[in-house]
Every structure is written in C-alpha cells, then in structure tokens.
Amino acid sequence: MVARLPNLLYAVITALSVGLLASRSAGRYAGLVAAAAVSTFLLSYQVAIWLATDAPLLAAVSVALLGTYAGFYATSSRERLRGYLLMHAALGLDS
C-alpha cells in the first residue's frame, strides 16, 4: 500500500495540471470538468496504480503542457519565462 503513494501523488498532479490547463484556456467550469474527466479515465486509473514509470511520465507531460500553454499565451516576458521554465523543468524531470 505505501509503495503506491507516490503514484497517487502523480495522479493528483496530473489532474491538477489538466484542470489548470483547461481552466486557463476555456474557463473555470471546463477546468473542473477536465480534472474530473482525467481522474475517472480507466487508463489514467490503471497508470496510477501500476508500479511503473508511466505515472510520473503522465504527470510530467501534463505539467509540461500546462507550462507550454502558459508560456505561449503569456502577456509579459516574465510570465512567458515562468511558463517555459515550468515546461522545461517538467520535461527535465521526465527524462
């Protein structure tokens, strides 16, 4: 049971980052729906309970997508830098 706790953390990170991405792009309601949807997908559930590298990969890619979106649609260079730093940090953790 304790060995699966990191995968639970990865599942929460995935749901939060997908929810934030949808919220930023389509509104708060879309964020809630997206987070609920990704949390209830059978494949996401299976990835989260396996003791493999798939759960951190899914979390890192979803955080990287959030950073990409934040950097691309940033209105200031500071926000753009934060978004792309988030993207690169997530991709760096992935490899």
Side-chain angles (χ1 to χ4, degrees):
M1 179 67 178
V2 175
R4 296 186 193 275
L5 287 179
N7 285 1
L8 177 63
L9 175 66
Y10 295 132
V12 169
I13 290 170
T14 300
L16 287 175
S17 61
V18 168
L20 285 172
L21 177 60
S23 180
R24 286 188 67 144
S25 62
R28 188 174 185 174
Y29 181 72
L32 292 172
V33 170
V38 79
S39 298
T40 58
F41 288 153
L42 178 61
L43 185 60
S44 291
Y45 172 72
Q46 289 173 336
V47 164
I49 63 170
W50 289 335
L51 293 174
T53 59
D54 295 340
L57 175 67
L58 183 61
V61 168
S62 62
V63 171
L65 287 173
L66 175 63
T68 303
Y69 184 87
F72 188 76
Y73 287 105
T75 56
S76 69
S77 58
R78 185 177 187 95
E79 290 177 20
R80 186 173 298 113
L81 177 64
R82 265 189 286 162
Y84 287 138
L85 280 174
L86 178 63
M87 176 192 74
H88 283 89
L91 291 176
L93 291 174
D94 181 36
S95 48

